[in-house]
Amino acid sequence: MLQLSTPSLRDSILRHLTYSFGKDPEHAILEDWRMALSYAVRDRIVDAWFKATHQTYETGAKRVYYLSMEFLIGRLLEDGIVNLELVEEAKSALAEFSKDYNDVLADEPDAALGNGGLGRLAACFLESLSTIGCPAHGYGIRYEHGLFRQSFVGGRQVEQPELWLGQRHAWEFERPEVRYRIGFGGHVTNHGETVRWHPAEEVEAEAFDTPVVGWKGRWANTLRLWSGRAIHPFDLAAFNHGDYAAAAAPEALARTISRVLYPDDTTEQGKELRLKQEYFLTGAALRDILRRFNNQFGDLRKLPSKVAIQLNDTHPAIAGPELIRILHDERGIPFDESMDIARNTLSYTNHTLLPEALESWGEALFGRLLPRHIQIIDQIDNEHANRNPSRTQSMRADHQVKMGQLSFVMAHKVNGVSALHTELMKTTVFEELHNLHPDRIVNQTNGVTPRRWLLACNPRLAGLITESIGEVWVDDLEQLEKLEPYIEDAGWLDRYGKVKRDNKVELSNWMGQAHGFHVDPDMIFDVQIKRLHEYKRQHLNILETIAHWLEIRDNPDADWTPRLKLFAGKAAPGYFFAKDIIRLINDAAAVINADPLTNKYLKIAFLPNYNVTLAERLVPAADLSEQISTAGKEASGTGNMKFALNGAPTVGTLDGANVEIRDHVGAENFFLFGMTAEEVMERRMVESHAQKAIAADPRLARALEVIREGRFSPAEPERYHNITGNLEGADYFLVCSDFSDYWRAQREVDAAFKDQQGWARMAAFNTARSGWFSSDRTIRGYMKDIWDAKSLLD
Ligand SMILES: *Cc1c(COP(=O)(O)O)cnc(C)c1O
């Protein structure tokens, strides 16, 4: 391999500024500096990337492929700098040119190619795979527009298109030579044993590669994103006839497929374009995987020993039938053998038990778009029924194709994402399939990467930890338990408390500058940031806030613990109830923040446009983490882990990974409230459960009443009758039934926060005992229990 000596970062920045971007330092704009620094860092990542690729080929190691419709990666420059340990060098290099490091970092657009937790998990996994040195590729779609930008007008959410490629993007390498044709529609022919699909329409998938570097640059893997292109991009005949729109039409049509991310993370809308996107990603990824396998190994019967393909939710579930189609129709391997090879190669992660979020497709649409695949699915279903005569549920009932069941049958392992969620899978959606295949479901509790979610986003805390126990924790997070003895040292605990306080001051200053929102950093920073959804119950939080406000007004001279309620999160554009909750929070904030009687004790802020960058700002400054979903509904959560790690105790229900967080940090360092998943199911059976809860709690009744009478919407008193009516009626997510216990937990928080040292202890125990929630631990679990893959660094 070519050996070049590494120039200093300063020289490298200057070279790129000059020769890659054609600017001298006098005329460079901020974006030029950001690009030059990115290229300088990228050069070093590329070195690690080539080394990893060569080692993977030479050792013939098994490769992992992570297929996901979403990768919520956020900004990449700081991630690269931190992982290559170039922070100090980058700061001083930029200082030489009188540029501020943070200004340069902040110039990078936030790549929001995902909706929320599922996409962020995929991004954390890629980073952990590289840190561990497991040969892997992520496969996804290079959406031109990621998740919409959110702003508020009159308190209401307004969506604008996200243009992350509007500025120059430093991290991707276009691969014009890596293209595959992806077909849709058409018909199927039979010639004896040979079946052939003849698509009516074809688009080309073109690869764009982003290197993903791990800790200390020891390894780098690839995120390969597909972009849609026309096969014959320009219709010259039409152009020559003067029909310029028609001339460009094929290109426009093909590009539509990778144009936008579907902005909904909880309801599957069954739209044709979405199914096209799913097959586009999966078809291109499988062709690419098989091309690489063929070059290196050849014998397709060995596929499961060299390739592990993970399906992130059911979105790429078409991988099962597609792999069978290639093995059987194109390579002539018998059907049942093809099915076994495919199943031994594939595994599937379930992310939700919400019925409205379980993917299914109408057979008419599915058969029209993928006529051969629907035949194969029927054959899979028959084969599965034959092998399991006691089976009662088909994946092809009610003129639907059920993607969850298809994924289960075509995977050798199916995993849930927290202990509770995995157990519930066995007794709810997958009960019958679990009984037929009792070894198939396994648990892999989610995690977050400590490089982004502690080292990079919270440098003060990271510094204190490293000073105390050394830097081993960065890729061995359970070492944080070595902090426990320090917690008993009052001087150390003071420093821990000061880190949080400094982070809060920094956030307060930013909120003042960026949003004109001024807040006292001595308040409790009580934070609920996540997608808006009824099951996540932001409305429970605002109801308690309103009740608390009324209570303070009753007795404004009492010794209240000052509190800032911070919210952030986007609602799916068509989810009107969630949008009403946003507006209610904003309306309530306007009234309550302006109340001179209470506003030294209680303030509310809803920060717009929640994304990874905003999360990185808020998490280090949080005192309290709100994880208040209806028990049994949140599969895992990962926001909960970021907060615990950064020293914010949780007020939460026994849901998702909250259960395991509480087990790890200790019940005394967690504010538990609410019904268990089992009690939730029982409570739903109780007639008029909401009315009963309201009758039993005058605070709840009064909070609902002031909303209903228009206290926060005087110009339109009935504005929130949809919300109050829902809560007083069906209240499916049991906001009313959990209210009183939530109130109690919040008053315990008030009392606990008065003892600043006691609070710091609790926070520090959260940090010291959250090491298990590293995505490194999660990935090692997948490697061992699901992929049978090895690290090339161990
Ligand atoms: C971590 C994260 C999420 C997931 O948050 P939950 O509270 O687990 O739903 C969603 N969006 C962003 C931007 C995140 O960083």
Side-chain angles (χ1 to χ4, degrees), residues 72 110 115-118 120-121 124 265 448 453 529-531 535-536 610-616 619 626-627 634 636-643:
L72 188 48
D110 189 311
N115 272 289
L118 173 148
R120 184 53 235 172
L121 182 76
C124 282
D265 61 345
V448 298
W453 294 110
I529 50 174
K530 47 183 75 245
R531 285 301 288 254
Y535 86 78
K536 292 178 181 281
Y610 182 50
N611 58 16
V612 173
T613 301
L614 185 57
E616 289 167 358
V619 166
E626 297 268 356
Q627 307 298 337
E634 186 75 84
S636 163
T638 49
N640 47 5
M641 301 167 186
K642 300 167 194 165
F643 283 109

